[in-house]
Amino acid sequence: MALTSCRIVYTSKTGNTAQLALLLKDSLEKTHVKVVMHDVEKEADRYQQREFTEDAILFGTYSWGNGDIPRAMSEMVSSMQVSKHTVTGIFGTGDRFYPNFCGAVDQLVQLIQPISNLAVTMKVELLPQQHDALTCEKFVHKLHDRAKQALTVSQ
Ligand SMILES: Cc1cc2nc3c(=O)[nH]c(=O)nc-3n(C[C@H](O)[C@H](O)[C@H](O)COP(=O)(O)O)c2cc1C
């Protein structure tokens, strides 16, 4: 399967994760993938369809409490429907000041891995820096690689 469409489902309180989501969007678009940005904290999200049909879904989150997933993201994950074949990726921002750095990313892995084809994860400290653009490109390459592998296996 060639990766042609991707939904980036994210949540961000102070903008760090939103910035990382935008870097990933840029990287994906450079590889000709059509991207839908989906902020789960937006009011309109309640009315959105949660049966996702894109080739890939990315989940982006900050960490809260003791490395916890913000409530809006947990609710999204528990109410959405994705195919076991959907290629997924998880990314997050956090602060090493806290003992459980980007703990929400680890928690999301536990939820997303069993229900999809999880290809890649990424943790970034606070606001993404210039060098994180390269990490995003590598992240996107891994998504493409996994999508290609899925094609080989199903042939
Ligand atoms: C009350 C509180 C608890 C936090 N807990 C954690 C944590 O457990 N682990 C972590 O890595 N970062 C933690 N953070 C830091 C945020 O996850 C980090 O600043 C993140 O980049 C914010 O993302 P955003 O700008 O997208 O909202 C916490 C921040 C606050 C204010």
Side-chain angles (χ1 to χ4, degrees):
M1 176 185 81
L3 204 65
T4 58
S5 59
C6 179
R7 178 178 292 257
I8 303 182
V9 179
Y10 69 97
T11 180
S12 182
K13 266 268 180 284
T14 62
N16 299 340
T17 314
Q19 198 59 39
L20 189 55
L22 284 176
L23 283 180
L24 283 166
K25 178 178 186 274
D26 284 351
S27 297
L28 283 158
E29 286 176 344
K30 275 188 198 157
T31 61
H32 312 289
V33 176
K34 196 166 164 239
V35 179
V36 176
M37 298 296 275
H38 181 163
D39 179 348
V40 299
E41 304 270 359
K42 288 256 165 77
E43 185 74 6
D45 178 66
R46 278 197 256 140
Y47 308 105
Q48 285 215 15
Q49 198 191 4
R50 290 185 168 180
E51 196 174 329
F52 301 145
T53 54
E54 289 82 8
D55 301 329
I57 317 245
L58 305 186
F59 299 89
T61 186
Y62 58 92
S63 292
W64 212 235
N66 181 21
D68 296 326
I69 305 172
R71 186 200 286 199
M73 181 58 79
S74 308
E75 284 176 2
M76 161 60 67
V77 170
S78 58
S79 65
M80 69 180 185
Q81 285 183 1
V82 296
S83 152
K84 186 89 181 77
H85 303 289
T86 303
V87 175
T88 52
I90 300 171
F91 63 95
T93 67
D95 187 343
R96 288 191 195 279
F97 169 82
Y98 294 91
N100 205 350
F101 175 61
C102 284
V105 169
D106 301 326
Q107 286 193 24
L108 269 184
V109 167
Q110 299 303 315
L111 299 174
I112 302 293
Q113 197 157 35
I115 59 166
S116 72
N117 184 358
L118 179 63
V120 57
T121 65
M122 170 170 61
K123 296 177 179 178
V124 165
E125 173 123 47
L126 298 170
L127 189 64
Q129 304 297 307
Q130 219 169 4
H131 66 262
D132 292 311
L134 185 62
T135 316
C136 286
E137 282 177 17
K138 289 182 181 162
F139 184 103
V140 166
H141 277 132
K142 284 188 181 159
L143 289 174
H144 280 288
D145 282 351
R146 183 59 69 90
K148 275 187 214 141
Q149 277 173 24
L151 172 68
T152 317
V153 168
S154 67
Q155 270 176 345

